[in-house]
Amino acid sequence: MAGLEPLYAWARPAISRPQDALVCGVHWELVRHGYRCLGTGDQPGPDERKSELLPAGWEANKEVYTLRYKSTDDALELLLKAIMVEDSMILNVMDRGSQKVADVTLAVADYINPEHLDDFHKVYKNTEELRTRITSGILAPLGASAEKAKKEPESEKDLQRDDDPLRIPPRQPAGTRAPSWPSSVNPFVVGGGDLDPLGGRSGGMIVDPLRSGFRQPGIDPSSGIPGRLPPGAVPPGARFDPFSPLGAGRPGPDPDHLPPPGYDDMFM
């Protein structure tokens, strides 16, 4: 617990009981997580300021320790009450903004050696467990409320965006993807499909120029379509819906140019 040693050395004259040492350790854990102590008591006093040190008179009441903290960004203010019940200490912490409360019970003998209050290197034990108890039992529940408050406006914006009737939907429906054609750049694609017994690859020996990957020239209806429209029948730039199947009259192999297997079988 780096930083606790100089704090303990500073507070040592006020530490007379094991619970004093435990409160000192709890205080430093809050400091490590971005909180600073404002003072003692439930109500603020004059000329208070945030400090990493314990305030004067913090150990006056050995049965109930009352300390107030504020985060370095002033977002949270905590009221800590450490209550002694026989040999255990109940840490009760309230977020004064949201009124949310968290508490954890610690057995003093599990973390403090009462015979070594004068020796910092021996007074604390199970320090990792102590840090975990404070973090999971107090800091995590109270910190979650502030984290949730930051995320709620973003979720509300996302909800409003989804309900916007003027929002343009994506061009491609979710869960679909455009078909992928074989790349025309790779010359080794041709013939690859003939070597695949499962037929999962593309690129057979029959080359289809309409699927070669190169852009096909468009049709200008204003110049006329041989055998169908004379030149000038469609004004330049006018919208024109073809009245024949796309690709008709284009050079290229007919999809039915090869006979089916066994076409000369009289029993087919």
Short mmCIF file of all heavy atoms in Angstrom, two decimals, residues 197-253:
data_model
loop_
_atom_site.label_atom_id
_atom_site.label_comp_id
_atom_site.label_asym_id
_atom_site.label_seq_id
_atom_site.Cartn_x
_atom_site.Cartn_y
_atom_site.Cartn_z
N PRO A 197 -13.01 -30.66 -56.03
CA PRO A 197 -14.05 -31.69 -56.17
C PRO A 197 -15.37 -31.30 -55.52
O PRO A 197 -16.41 -31.85 -55.87
CB PRO A 197 -13.42 -32.91 -55.48
CG PRO A 197 -12.43 -32.35 -54.51
CD PRO A 197 -11.89 -31.11 -55.17
N LEU A 198 -15.35 -30.37 -54.57
CA LEU A 198 -16.59 -29.96 -53.89
C LEU A 198 -17.26 -28.77 -54.57
O LEU A 198 -18.36 -28.39 -54.19
CB LEU A 198 -16.29 -29.60 -52.43
CG LEU A 198 -15.66 -30.73 -51.60
CD1 LEU A 198 -15.38 -30.25 -50.19
CD2 LEU A 198 -16.57 -31.96 -51.58
N GLY A 199 -16.60 -28.18 -55.55
CA GLY A 199 -17.22 -27.08 -56.28
C GLY A 199 -17.35 -25.81 -55.47
O GLY A 199 -18.23 -24.98 -55.73
N GLY A 200 -16.51 -25.62 -54.47
CA GLY A 200 -16.61 -24.44 -53.63
C GLY A 200 -15.80 -23.27 -54.13
O GLY A 200 -15.91 -22.16 -53.61
N ARG A 201 -14.93 -23.49 -55.12
CA ARG A 201 -14.08 -22.42 -55.62
C ARG A 201 -14.62 -21.91 -56.94
O ARG A 201 -15.38 -22.56 -57.63
CB ARG A 201 -12.64 -22.92 -55.80
CG ARG A 201 -11.96 -23.32 -54.52
CD ARG A 201 -10.58 -23.87 -54.80
NE ARG A 201 -9.75 -22.92 -55.55
CZ ARG A 201 -8.53 -23.20 -56.00
NH1 ARG A 201 -8.01 -24.39 -55.78
NH2 ARG A 201 -7.85 -22.30 -56.65
N SER A 202 -14.22 -20.68 -57.27
CA SER A 202 -14.63 -20.07 -58.53
C SER A 202 -13.48 -20.13 -59.51
O SER A 202 -12.35 -20.37 -59.15
CB SER A 202 -15.06 -18.62 -58.30
OG SER A 202 -14.00 -17.90 -57.72
N GLY A 203 -13.78 -19.83 -60.76
CA GLY A 203 -12.74 -19.75 -61.77
C GLY A 203 -12.57 -21.02 -62.55
O GLY A 203 -11.54 -21.69 -62.46
N GLY A 204 -13.60 -21.40 -63.33
CA GLY A 204 -13.48 -22.58 -64.16
C GLY A 204 -12.80 -22.26 -65.48
O GLY A 204 -12.35 -21.15 -65.73
N MET A 205 -12.74 -23.26 -66.35
CA MET A 205 -12.07 -23.07 -67.64
C MET A 205 -12.92 -22.27 -68.60
O MET A 205 -12.42 -21.68 -69.55
CB MET A 205 -11.73 -24.44 -68.26
CG MET A 205 -10.69 -25.23 -67.48
SD MET A 205 -9.14 -24.34 -67.31
CE MET A 205 -8.63 -24.26 -69.01
N ILE A 206 -14.27 -22.22 -68.38
CA ILE A 206 -15.13 -21.43 -69.24
C ILE A 206 -15.15 -20.00 -68.71
O ILE A 206 -15.61 -19.75 -67.60
CB ILE A 206 -16.57 -22.00 -69.28
CG1 ILE A 206 -16.53 -23.47 -69.71
CG2 ILE A 206 -17.44 -21.18 -70.19
CD1 ILE A 206 -15.93 -23.67 -71.09
N VAL A 207 -14.63 -19.05 -69.46
CA VAL A 207 -14.51 -17.67 -69.05
C VAL A 207 -15.74 -16.91 -69.52
O VAL A 207 -16.02 -16.87 -70.73
CB VAL A 207 -13.23 -17.03 -69.59
CG1 VAL A 207 -13.11 -15.58 -69.13
CG2 VAL A 207 -12.01 -17.83 -69.15
N ASP A 208 -16.51 -16.34 -68.60
CA ASP A 208 -17.69 -15.56 -68.93
C ASP A 208 -17.29 -14.09 -68.92
O ASP A 208 -16.95 -13.54 -67.88
CB ASP A 208 -18.80 -15.81 -67.90
CG ASP A 208 -20.11 -15.15 -68.30
OD1 ASP A 208 -20.09 -14.34 -69.25
OD2 ASP A 208 -21.13 -15.43 -67.65
N PRO A 209 -17.29 -13.41 -70.08
CA PRO A 209 -16.87 -12.00 -70.08
C PRO A 209 -17.78 -11.11 -69.26
O PRO A 209 -17.37 -10.04 -68.82
CB PRO A 209 -16.90 -11.62 -71.57
CG PRO A 209 -17.83 -12.59 -72.19
CD PRO A 209 -17.68 -13.87 -71.42
N LEU A 210 -19.05 -11.52 -69.05
CA LEU A 210 -19.96 -10.69 -68.26
C LEU A 210 -19.63 -10.76 -66.78
O LEU A 210 -20.10 -9.94 -66.00
CB LEU A 210 -21.41 -11.14 -68.49
CG LEU A 210 -21.92 -11.01 -69.93
CD1 LEU A 210 -23.36 -11.49 -70.00
CD2 LEU A 210 -21.80 -9.58 -70.43
N ARG A 211 -18.86 -11.77 -66.37
CA ARG A 211 -18.46 -11.90 -64.97
C ARG A 211 -16.95 -11.91 -64.82
O ARG A 211 -16.41 -12.49 -63.91
CB ARG A 211 -19.04 -13.18 -64.37
CG ARG A 211 -20.55 -13.19 -64.34
CD ARG A 211 -21.07 -14.40 -63.62
NE ARG A 211 -22.52 -14.39 -63.55
CZ ARG A 211 -23.25 -15.33 -62.93
NH1 ARG A 211 -22.64 -16.33 -62.34
NH2 ARG A 211 -24.56 -15.24 -62.90
N SER A 212 -16.28 -11.23 -65.72
CA SER A 212 -14.82 -11.23 -65.69
C SER A 212 -14.26 -10.24 -64.70
O SER A 212 -13.08 -10.26 -64.41
CB SER A 212 -14.28 -10.91 -67.08
OG SER A 212 -14.70 -9.60 -67.47
N GLY A 213 -15.10 -9.35 -64.19
CA GLY A 213 -14.61 -8.34 -63.26
C GLY A 213 -14.39 -7.01 -63.92
O GLY A 213 -14.23 -6.00 -63.23
N PHE A 214 -14.38 -6.95 -65.26
CA PHE A 214 -14.21 -5.69 -65.96
C PHE A 214 -15.57 -5.03 -66.16
O PHE A 214 -16.58 -5.69 -66.34
CB PHE A 214 -13.54 -5.91 -67.32
CG PHE A 214 -12.14 -6.46 -67.20
CD1 PHE A 214 -11.90 -7.81 -67.42
CD2 PHE A 214 -11.08 -5.63 -66.87
CE1 PHE A 214 -10.62 -8.32 -67.30
CE2 PHE A 214 -9.80 -6.15 -66.76
CZ PHE A 214 -9.57 -7.49 -66.97
N ARG A 215 -15.58 -3.70 -66.14
CA ARG A 215 -16.82 -2.97 -66.33
C ARG A 215 -17.31 -3.12 -67.77
O ARG A 215 -16.54 -3.06 -68.72
CB ARG A 215 -16.60 -1.49 -66.00
CG ARG A 215 -16.23 -1.22 -64.55
CD ARG A 215 -16.11 0.26 -64.29
NE ARG A 215 -17.37 0.93 -64.59
CZ ARG A 215 -17.55 2.25 -64.53
NH1 ARG A 215 -16.55 3.03 -64.20
NH2 ARG A 215 -18.73 2.78 -64.81
N GLN A 216 -18.60 -3.32 -67.91
CA GLN A 216 -19.20 -3.48 -69.23
C GLN A 216 -19.70 -2.14 -69.73
O GLN A 216 -20.18 -1.31 -68.95
CB GLN A 216 -20.37 -4.47 -69.15
CG GLN A 216 -19.96 -5.85 -68.65
CD GLN A 216 -18.99 -6.51 -69.60
OE1 GLN A 216 -19.12 -6.38 -70.82
NE2 GLN A 216 -18.01 -7.22 -69.05
N PRO A 217 -19.58 -1.87 -71.01
CA PRO A 217 -20.06 -0.59 -71.53
C PRO A 217 -21.57 -0.50 -71.40
O PRO A 217 -22.29 -1.47 -71.58
CB PRO A 217 -19.61 -0.61 -73.00
CG PRO A 217 -19.46 -2.06 -73.32
CD PRO A 217 -19.00 -2.73 -72.06
N GLY A 218 -22.05 0.69 -71.02
CA GLY A 218 -23.48 0.91 -70.89
C GLY A 218 -24.15 1.12 -72.24
O GLY A 218 -23.52 1.25 -73.29
N ILE A 219 -25.49 1.14 -72.25
CA ILE A 219 -26.28 1.32 -73.46
C ILE A 219 -26.82 2.74 -73.49
O ILE A 219 -27.40 3.20 -72.51
CB ILE A 219 -27.45 0.32 -73.52
CG1 ILE A 219 -26.89 -1.11 -73.52
CG2 ILE A 219 -28.32 0.57 -74.73
CD1 ILE A 219 -27.97 -2.16 -73.48
N ASP A 220 -26.59 3.47 -74.57
CA ASP A 220 -27.13 4.80 -74.74
C ASP A 220 -28.36 4.69 -75.64
O ASP A 220 -28.24 4.53 -76.86
CB ASP A 220 -26.08 5.71 -75.38
CG ASP A 220 -26.57 7.14 -75.52
OD1 ASP A 220 -27.64 7.43 -74.96
OD2 ASP A 220 -25.88 7.96 -76.17
N PRO A 221 -29.57 4.75 -75.06
CA PRO A 221 -30.77 4.53 -75.89
C PRO A 221 -31.01 5.64 -76.89
O PRO A 221 -31.71 5.44 -77.89
CB PRO A 221 -31.90 4.48 -74.84
CG PRO A 221 -31.36 5.21 -73.66
CD PRO A 221 -29.90 4.96 -73.66
N SER A 222 -30.42 6.86 -76.67
CA SER A 222 -30.65 7.95 -77.63
C SER A 222 -29.97 7.70 -78.96
O SER A 222 -30.34 8.28 -79.98
CB SER A 222 -30.16 9.27 -77.03
OG SER A 222 -28.76 9.21 -76.79
N SER A 223 -28.94 6.81 -78.97
CA SER A 223 -28.26 6.52 -80.22
C SER A 223 -28.94 5.40 -81.00
O SER A 223 -28.50 5.03 -82.08
CB SER A 223 -26.81 6.13 -79.94
OG SER A 223 -26.76 4.96 -79.14
N GLY A 224 -30.02 4.87 -80.40
CA GLY A 224 -30.73 3.82 -81.09
C GLY A 224 -30.25 2.45 -80.72
O GLY A 224 -29.12 2.28 -80.28
N ILE A 225 -31.13 1.47 -80.86
CA ILE A 225 -30.79 0.08 -80.61
C ILE A 225 -31.04 -0.68 -81.91
O ILE A 225 -32.18 -0.74 -82.39
CB ILE A 225 -31.64 -0.51 -79.47
CG1 ILE A 225 -31.42 0.31 -78.18
CG2 ILE A 225 -31.30 -1.96 -79.24
CD1 ILE A 225 -32.24 -0.17 -77.02
N PRO A 226 -29.99 -1.22 -82.50
CA PRO A 226 -30.17 -1.89 -83.80
C PRO A 226 -31.24 -2.98 -83.74
O PRO A 226 -31.23 -3.82 -82.84
CB PRO A 226 -28.79 -2.48 -84.08
CG PRO A 226 -27.84 -1.65 -83.27
CD PRO A 226 -28.59 -1.25 -82.07
N GLY A 227 -32.17 -2.89 -84.66
CA GLY A 227 -33.22 -3.88 -84.76
C GLY A 227 -34.37 -3.64 -83.81
O GLY A 227 -35.35 -4.39 -83.83
N ARG A 228 -34.25 -2.58 -82.96
CA ARG A 228 -35.31 -2.34 -81.98
C ARG A 228 -35.78 -0.89 -81.98
O ARG A 228 -36.97 -0.62 -82.03
CB ARG A 228 -34.84 -2.74 -80.57
CG ARG A 228 -34.66 -4.25 -80.42
CD ARG A 228 -34.13 -4.58 -79.01
NE ARG A 228 -34.04 -6.03 -78.81
CZ ARG A 228 -33.02 -6.76 -79.20
NH1 ARG A 228 -32.00 -6.20 -79.84
NH2 ARG A 228 -33.02 -8.08 -78.98
N LEU A 229 -34.83 0.07 -81.91
CA LEU A 229 -35.19 1.49 -81.88
C LEU A 229 -34.32 2.24 -82.88
O LEU A 229 -33.11 2.00 -82.95
CB LEU A 229 -34.97 2.08 -80.48
CG LEU A 229 -35.98 1.73 -79.39
CD1 LEU A 229 -35.55 2.37 -78.07
CD2 LEU A 229 -37.38 2.21 -79.76
N PRO A 230 -34.92 3.16 -83.65
CA PRO A 230 -34.10 3.99 -84.55
C PRO A 230 -33.40 5.08 -83.75
O PRO A 230 -33.83 5.43 -82.65
CB PRO A 230 -35.13 4.57 -85.51
CG PRO A 230 -36.39 4.62 -84.72
CD PRO A 230 -36.35 3.41 -83.82
N PRO A 231 -32.32 5.65 -84.26
CA PRO A 231 -31.63 6.75 -83.56
C PRO A 231 -32.57 7.93 -83.34
O PRO A 231 -33.33 8.31 -84.23
CB PRO A 231 -30.47 7.09 -84.50
CG PRO A 231 -30.25 5.86 -85.31
CD PRO A 231 -31.59 5.24 -85.49
N GLY A 232 -32.51 8.51 -82.15
CA GLY A 232 -33.33 9.67 -81.82
C GLY A 232 -34.69 9.33 -81.29
O GLY A 232 -35.46 10.24 -80.94
N ALA A 233 -35.04 8.06 -81.23
CA ALA A 233 -36.36 7.69 -80.71
C ALA A 233 -36.48 8.01 -79.23
O ALA A 233 -37.57 8.30 -78.73
CB ALA A 233 -36.63 6.20 -80.96
N VAL A 234 -35.38 7.95 -78.51
CA VAL A 234 -35.36 8.29 -77.09
C VAL A 234 -34.58 9.58 -76.94
O VAL A 234 -33.42 9.65 -77.36
CB VAL A 234 -34.72 7.17 -76.25
CG1 VAL A 234 -34.68 7.55 -74.78
CG2 VAL A 234 -35.48 5.87 -76.44
N PRO A 235 -35.18 10.67 -76.36
CA PRO A 235 -34.45 11.94 -76.20
C PRO A 235 -33.22 11.74 -75.32
O PRO A 235 -33.20 10.91 -74.42
CB PRO A 235 -35.47 12.84 -75.50
CG PRO A 235 -36.80 12.24 -75.81
CD PRO A 235 -36.57 10.76 -75.92
N PRO A 236 -32.14 12.48 -75.60
CA PRO A 236 -30.92 12.35 -74.80
C PRO A 236 -31.19 12.68 -73.32
O PRO A 236 -31.86 13.67 -73.02
CB PRO A 236 -29.95 13.36 -75.42
CG PRO A 236 -30.48 13.57 -76.81
CD PRO A 236 -31.97 13.42 -76.72
N GLY A 237 -30.70 11.85 -72.45
CA GLY A 237 -30.84 12.06 -71.02
C GLY A 237 -32.17 11.61 -70.46
O GLY A 237 -32.39 11.73 -69.25
N ALA A 238 -33.08 11.12 -71.32
CA ALA A 238 -34.38 10.70 -70.81
C ALA A 238 -34.27 9.36 -70.12
O ALA A 238 -33.38 8.55 -70.41
CB ALA A 238 -35.39 10.61 -71.96
N ARG A 239 -35.15 9.14 -69.14
CA ARG A 239 -35.18 7.86 -68.45
C ARG A 239 -35.74 6.81 -69.42
O ARG A 239 -36.75 7.04 -70.08
CB ARG A 239 -36.05 7.94 -67.21
CG ARG A 239 -36.17 6.62 -66.48
CD ARG A 239 -36.94 6.79 -65.20
NE ARG A 239 -37.12 5.50 -64.54
CZ ARG A 239 -37.71 5.34 -63.36
NH1 ARG A 239 -38.19 6.40 -62.73
NH2 ARG A 239 -37.83 4.15 -62.82
N PHE A 240 -35.06 5.67 -69.48
CA PHE A 240 -35.45 4.64 -70.44
C PHE A 240 -35.41 3.28 -69.76
O PHE A 240 -34.39 2.90 -69.18
CB PHE A 240 -34.50 4.67 -71.64
CG PHE A 240 -34.75 3.56 -72.63
CD1 PHE A 240 -35.86 3.58 -73.46
CD2 PHE A 240 -33.87 2.48 -72.73
CE1 PHE A 240 -36.09 2.56 -74.37
CE2 PHE A 240 -34.10 1.46 -73.62
CZ PHE A 240 -35.21 1.50 -74.45
N ASP A 241 -36.54 2.60 -69.76
CA ASP A 241 -36.62 1.25 -69.23
C ASP A 241 -36.53 0.26 -70.38
O ASP A 241 -37.39 0.26 -71.28
CB ASP A 241 -37.93 1.03 -68.47
CG ASP A 241 -38.00 1.90 -67.22
OD1 ASP A 241 -36.93 2.16 -66.65
OD2 ASP A 241 -39.11 2.31 -66.84
N PRO A 242 -35.50 -0.58 -70.40
CA PRO A 242 -35.37 -1.53 -71.52
C PRO A 242 -36.59 -2.47 -71.59
O PRO A 242 -37.14 -2.86 -70.57
CB PRO A 242 -34.10 -2.31 -71.17
CG PRO A 242 -33.38 -1.46 -70.17
CD PRO A 242 -34.42 -0.69 -69.44
N PHE A 243 -36.97 -2.78 -72.80
CA PHE A 243 -38.10 -3.69 -72.99
C PHE A 243 -37.63 -5.06 -73.43
O PHE A 243 -38.36 -5.81 -74.07
CB PHE A 243 -39.11 -3.13 -74.01
CG PHE A 243 -38.48 -2.60 -75.27
CD1 PHE A 243 -38.09 -3.44 -76.29
CD2 PHE A 243 -38.26 -1.23 -75.42
CE1 PHE A 243 -37.51 -2.94 -77.43
CE2 PHE A 243 -37.69 -0.74 -76.57
CZ PHE A 243 -37.31 -1.58 -77.59
N SER A 244 -36.38 -5.36 -73.13
CA SER A 244 -35.85 -6.69 -73.43
C SER A 244 -34.94 -7.08 -72.28
O SER A 244 -34.49 -6.23 -71.52
CB SER A 244 -35.07 -6.69 -74.75
OG SER A 244 -33.96 -5.80 -74.66
N PRO A 245 -34.66 -8.37 -72.11
CA PRO A 245 -33.79 -8.80 -71.02
C PRO A 245 -32.42 -8.13 -71.08
O PRO A 245 -31.89 -7.89 -72.16
CB PRO A 245 -33.68 -10.32 -71.22
CG PRO A 245 -34.89 -10.67 -72.02
CD PRO A 245 -35.18 -9.49 -72.88
N LEU A 246 -31.91 -7.78 -69.88
CA LEU A 246 -30.58 -7.17 -69.84
C LEU A 246 -29.56 -8.11 -70.42
O LEU A 246 -29.57 -9.31 -70.14
CB LEU A 246 -30.21 -6.82 -68.40
CG LEU A 246 -31.05 -5.71 -67.75
CD1 LEU A 246 -30.63 -5.54 -66.30
CD2 LEU A 246 -30.90 -4.41 -68.51
N GLY A 247 -28.67 -7.54 -71.20
CA GLY A 247 -27.60 -8.34 -71.77
C GLY A 247 -27.97 -8.98 -73.10
O GLY A 247 -27.15 -9.65 -73.70
N ALA A 248 -29.22 -8.81 -73.53
CA ALA A 248 -29.60 -9.39 -74.82
C ALA A 248 -28.84 -8.72 -75.94
O ALA A 248 -28.73 -7.50 -75.99
CB ALA A 248 -31.10 -9.22 -75.04
N GLY A 249 -28.33 -9.50 -76.86
CA GLY A 249 -27.59 -8.96 -77.99
C GLY A 249 -26.14 -8.70 -77.69
O GLY A 249 -25.41 -8.30 -78.59
N ARG A 250 -25.72 -8.84 -76.45
CA ARG A 250 -24.31 -8.64 -76.14
C ARG A 250 -23.50 -9.85 -76.55
O ARG A 250 -23.98 -10.97 -76.48
CB ARG A 250 -24.12 -8.39 -74.64
CG ARG A 250 -24.71 -7.11 -74.13
CD ARG A 250 -24.29 -6.88 -72.72
NE ARG A 250 -24.83 -5.66 -72.17
CZ ARG A 250 -24.52 -5.16 -70.97
NH1 ARG A 250 -23.66 -5.82 -70.21
NH2 ARG A 250 -25.05 -4.05 -70.54
N PRO A 251 -22.27 -9.60 -76.97
CA PRO A 251 -21.44 -10.76 -77.31
C PRO A 251 -21.07 -11.51 -76.05
O PRO A 251 -20.85 -10.93 -75.00
CB PRO A 251 -20.22 -10.11 -77.96
CG PRO A 251 -20.15 -8.74 -77.38
CD PRO A 251 -21.58 -8.32 -77.18
N GLY A 252 -20.99 -12.76 -76.16
CA GLY A 252 -20.60 -13.58 -75.02
C GLY A 252 -21.23 -14.94 -75.11
O GLY A 252 -22.15 -15.16 -75.91
N PRO A 253 -20.77 -15.85 -74.30
CA PRO A 253 -21.31 -17.21 -74.37
C PRO A 253 -22.75 -17.26 -73.85
O PRO A 253 -23.12 -16.58 -72.91
CB PRO A 253 -20.37 -18.01 -73.46
CG PRO A 253 -19.83 -16.99 -72.51
CD PRO A 253 -19.72 -15.72 -73.30
#
